[in-house]
Amino acid sequence: MLLASFGSYASSHREAPLISNDPLADNTDLYAFKSPDDPNSITIIANYIPFESPEGGPNYYNFGTNVRYEIHIKNKTTTAGDDITYRFTFSGTNEDPTTFFNIRLGKQNLKATYKCEKSTDGGQTFVTIVANGMVPPANIGPRSIEGKTVGLEAADYNSLVQSAIATASSGEKIFCGPVDDPFFVDLAGAFDVGNFRPEGNSTNETKDGLSRFNVHTIAIKVPVSMLQKDGKGVQQAANILDPDYVIGVWASASRQMIKTLYGGGDVGYDGKYVQVSRLGMPLTNEAVIPIGMKDRWNSVTPYGGNDLQFAKYFTNPELALYMDDSQFGTAVPSLNALRIQSKSLGSFDFRNGKPGLYGLKGNPALDGTALAEAAFGGILLPDAASPRAVDLLPIFYTGVPNLAPYQLATGKNNNPLAAGKPFIHNFLPTLGDMLRLNMAVPATPRDDAKFSSLGLVQAAVLGITDPAYNGSTDLQFIPNMDGFPNGRRLEDDVTTIELQAVSGVVLAAVGLFYDDATAEAPVSQQLLNVLTFTSGPTKNDVGLKAAFPYVQNPWRGFDYPEKPRF
């Protein structure tokens, strides 16, 4: 059971049995964040093709020419499907088929170009916004890239990246190409039955399992006004949690139904396109969906109630069993710091199969809160054995509203149902897995002393403990309100955040404190254990760029790994 749970714990890197055999269509990670250098735009990054070795010649990794890559955006609840869709299709050319080299004499083989199409009517019609986009070659080595006569004679690899950034006819900036994989996780520890090695552990060296691997990215920088449902710019937002500025984002890859192998090595593709991979929230398919359902999850969209069949895996998540000593908690010592509330406020038990807040269902005390039957009580309090429907389910399936009890404990006077300090509103109740982002929230400057890879978890900590923010219940910007799970920044440590969330940190943030807390000391030792827990590396193995596309250039094969890559 432990092996089944942890055996696929990378962020959509080979996360399901079928897609593990089709890396070109494997959507590894998805990011959506306020552009740190442009408050009027949002950047969406969808990465594909896991574990690209920089030395992977002579046939270097590239986007699939028979794969349809799509980024889907939802900004309305009144429509059935996508409100905006970006579709990418790629083509390949061999400029010099007489050589076995990828680059020779200024010509490139396996040279990729792309077409980007956009739909704003639910996918019924598409308009081409980039007709012949350039994909930079693999970062093979200095003779291939900068070499005179035999190479491309580029000034450096970065110049190829910059020249490949396209401006679409509709105004977006777009980049497609190989980059460093920005995700970081202790894969070896995770695969060793959840044997995570926290950063700073003196006994075990922490390793980023994705260090020095590349991926292929599709990055789009889009004006807020183009994504907002009424065409409004960020300056028109009523406040920094304006609910009209919430979007849901997910990405997918599709292939045609029929693949035919002919004599002589030719391959044909026919039939309609079928979705084979998707990604919204990170780690959903890896650490929540059981192995027998992973391929099915990849095949359906988050629309039309499709994801309701998977809801039970959020309301009683398997990972919670390893944070509960009455189950398998003692078998995974690396998660000892994470323990779920069994008697929060003396009575509320959120362990799997327990009632959680269900005992309050229908109570007049819930009136005016999101848990009232007139609001969303039917979803958030479905029965007496689905305790995490109240916190994990909305994080993944609806986003979190700026309503009690989903406000910080600041100002609640030990009553979690009371109004508290607002810190999130990314509520888009589609009941489907998407990465939800409130575009009105400002970006936290990356050089801010309070910037944190713990995203909203750290925003909650500051809102409860920092005198700059805990003196009132007024809405104000708290650093990292723009972090995961309000969108996802490249810097966010989503593995640690989601493990903390499974352990009940969101419940504690809104006033359902851990078992050892008291009214006088709600920030208890158990809460401190959770907040200081890390699942391994807390940042990428290389820095990010300050400007679009923000992801770093791919590792160079010739210099890998002994020398610096630039």
Side-chain angles (χ1 to χ4, degrees):
M1 291 179 65
L2 292 171
L3 285 169
S5 170
F6 288 102
S8 298
Y9 204 90
S11 185
S12 279
H13 293 69
R14 296 171 51 83
E15 83 287 355
L18 286 179
I19 202 60
S20 67
N21 294 319
D22 189 5
L24 299 188
D26 190 349
N27 189 180
T28 65
D29 277 289
L30 177 68
Y31 304 83
F33 53 91
K34 178 68 71 70
S35 304
D37 59 340
D38 181 3
N40 297 307
S41 73
I42 299 298
T43 295
I44 300 171
I45 293 175
N47 290 339
Y48 295 85
I49 314 176
F51 301 111
E52 295 183 8
S53 168
E55 301 170 298
N59 294 293
Y60 289 89
Y61 299 90
N62 222 325
F63 290 106
T65 56
N66 296 287
V67 180
R68 179 180 283 174
Y69 302 92
E70 292 181 324
I71 293 175
H72 312 264
I73 296 156
K74 188 81 183 146
N75 59 24
K76 301 182 183 74
T77 57
T78 56
T79 54
D82 288 354
D83 295 305
I84 303 172
T85 311
Y86 292 96
R87 176 178 292 171
F88 293 81
T89 50
F90 292 83
S91 301
T93 302
N94 288 330
E95 294 182 326
D96 181 9
T98 67
T99 178
F100 65 85
F101 288 114
N102 184 266
I103 293 172
R104 188 185 72 158
L105 301 176
K107 293 183 179 181
Q108 181 189 343
N109 293 324
L110 306 176
K111 183 175 182 177
T113 57
Y114 69 90
K115 177 174 69 173
C116 177
E117 301 168 277
K118 180 178 180 180
S119 174
T120 56
D121 59 5
Q124 297 183 50
T125 60
F126 282 84
V127 175
T128 298
I129 61 173
V130 176
N132 191 33
M134 295 168 30
V135 178
N139 193 1
I140 299 170
R143 186 164 294 175
S144 297
I145 303 302
E146 294 92 5
K148 303 296 183 182
T149 307
V150 295
L152 295 179
E153 300 189 12
D156 54 28
Y157 188 84
N158 195 60
S159 67
L160 299 178
V161 172
Q162 292 303 307
S163 63
I165 297 175
T167 299
S169 59
S170 46
E172 301 92 336
K173 287 190 177 300
I174 298 176
F175 171 79
C176 299
V179 297
D180 163 69
D181 190 339
F183 186 55
F184 46 93
V185 64
D186 180 10
L187 284 178
F191 290 154
D192 187 27
V193 197
N195 193 18
F196 292 102
R197 292 166 288 187
E199 188 174 60
N201 188 321
S202 59
T203 303
N204 299 308
E205 181 184 357
T206 297
K207 293 184 180 293
D208 177 4
L210 301 174
S211 173
R212 296 181 174 180
F213 282 111
N214 297 328
V215 291
H216 269 64
T217 196
I218 295 174
I220 310 177
K221 187 176 182 181
V222 193
V224 169
S225 59
M226 198 175 290
L227 298 175
Q228 201 275 339
K229 61 183 181 180
D230 300 313
K232 295 179 181 178
V234 71
Q235 299 89 346
Q236 296 172 270
N239 56 58
I240 61 171
L241 290 181
D242 190 331
D244 288 339
Y245 284 74
V246 177
I247 59 171
V249 183
W250 60 288
S252 68
S254 302
R255 282 193 177 275
Q256 288 177 281
M257 291 181 65
I258 302 171
K259 177 180 179 180
T260 305
L261 303 178
Y262 298 96
D266 293 331
V267 181
Y269 295 87
D270 302 281
K272 70 176 184 178
Y273 279 87
V274 177
Q275 181 179 297
V276 296
S277 176
R278 67 152 162 154
L279 185 61
M281 289 285 284
L283 306 176
T284 295
N285 206 3
E286 301 75 10
V288 180
I289 308 301
I291 195 166
M293 297 291 284
K294 288 180 181 295
D295 291 327
R296 179 171 180 80
W297 190 92
N298 261 342
S299 71
V300 300
T301 75
Y303 299 130
N306 288 333
D307 277 349
L308 293 179
Q309 64 187 300
F310 310 109
K312 60 184 178 181
Y313 305 121
F314 297 88
T315 61
N316 284 284
E318 184 181 354
L319 274 172
L321 298 176
Y322 316 117
M323 303 174 190
D324 176 1
D325 287 344
S326 69
Q327 298 291 331
F328 309 115
T330 58
V332 188
S334 61
L335 298 180
N336 280 346
L338 307 178
R339 287 297 176 266
I340 298 165
Q341 295 94 321
S342 62
K343 51 180 185 297
S344 180
L345 305 182
S347 59
F348 298 110
D349 192 340
F350 294 96
R351 295 174 298 172
N352 281 13
K354 304 300 182 180
L357 292 180
Y358 187 78
L360 299 176
K361 190 175 179 69
N363 192 308
L366 299 181
D367 292 347
T369 76
L371 305 180
E373 289 302 297
F376 308 103
I379 298 171
L380 301 172
L381 299 174
D383 55 54
S386 300
R388 309 311 296 277
V390 76
D391 63 327
L392 294 184
L393 194 65
I395 289 173
F396 283 80
Y397 270 25
T398 66
V400 182
N402 180 22
L403 288 173
Y406 303 111
Q407 294 165 332
L408 293 180
T410 297
K412 288 187 174 182
N413 296 318
N414 296 310
N415 175 12
L417 298 177
K421 188 173 188 64
F423 79 117
I424 185 172
H425 188 123
N426 63 351
F427 186 61
L428 191 71
T430 60
L431 293 177
D433 185 282
M434 298 180 190
L435 190 59
R436 289 169 171 82
L437 170 67
N438 190 317
M439 301 184 293
V441 179
T444 305
R446 299 314 192 252
D447 59 355
D448 190 317
K450 294 179 180 178
F451 182 87
S452 171
S453 63
L454 291 182
L456 270 179
V457 171
Q458 183 64 13
V461 171
L462 294 173
I464 293 174
T465 64
D466 193 317
Y469 314 107
N470 68 0
S472 74
T473 58
D474 295 334
L475 172 61
Q476 64 183 126
F477 178 69
I478 307 171
N480 304 296
M481 283 172 62
D482 60 316
F484 181 77
N486 181 30
R488 180 185 177 187
R489 304 172 297 187
L490 292 164
E491 298 88 349
D492 286 335
D493 183 0
V494 296
T495 307
T496 294
I497 294 171
E498 290 197 359
L499 287 169
Q500 290 172 325
V502 172
S503 78
V505 74
V506 175
L507 298 169
V510 303
L512 289 158
F513 295 110
Y514 284 98
D515 299 353
D516 61 337
T518 64
E520 295 75 24
V523 182
S524 65
Q525 185 59 51
Q526 192 170 348
L527 176 56
L528 291 174
N529 292 343
V530 174
L531 294 176
T532 55
F533 168 84
T534 65
S535 60
T538 58
K539 61 182 180 180
N540 192 32
D541 55 325
V542 67
L544 301 167
K545 292 183 177 181
F548 183 81
Y550 307 108
V551 281
Q552 191 53 268
N553 295 340
W555 291 91
R556 171 161 283 185
F558 184 80
D559 295 335
Y560 175 86
E562 293 82 10
K563 301 177 182 178
R565 57 182 176 148
F566 299 121

